[in-house]
Amino acid sequence: MTTMNISLSDALKSFVDDQVGAGGYSSSSEFVRELIRKERDRQHLRGLLLEGATSPPGDTADADYFDGLRGRVR
């Protein structure tokens, strides 16, 4: 695992310490890693949403569409 040093204001350091104490994290590093993972996931989801928004329209989701889905599941 690689090490990274970051500088925080006293207020941010206090916030991180409070989160570690109250949030079930074993260390400030674990808390920061979790924040980074959540941001990575958020950006991935945003990319998928943008991809979907720019894609051409799909089939109409009417009763026949859902009947077809149910038939494929069975």
Side-chain angles (χ1 to χ4, degrees):
M1 188 175 295
T2 303
T3 299
M4 175 185 282
N5 295 316
I6 60 171
S7 298
L8 300 174
S9 66
D10 290 340
L12 288 177
K13 169 79 167 75
S14 177
F15 175 77
V16 170
D17 290 342
D18 290 346
Q19 296 305 302
V20 170
Y25 300 98
S26 62
S27 67
S28 57
S29 292
E30 184 182 350
F31 176 69
V32 171
R33 282 192 299 269
E34 180 68 16
L35 291 178
I36 292 168
R37 285 186 201 100
K38 286 180 180 180
E39 178 61 15
R40 180 189 57 198
D41 293 347
R42 188 193 68 79
Q43 287 185 15
H44 178 71
L45 177 59
R46 184 175 191 275
L48 292 173
L49 290 170
L50 289 172
E51 181 182 328
T54 58
S55 67
D59 295 333
T60 302
D62 57 11
D64 291 336
Y65 173 80
F66 287 105
D67 287 342
L69 285 178
R70 286 185 199 95
R72 290 193 334 216
V73 170
R74 291 182 195 129

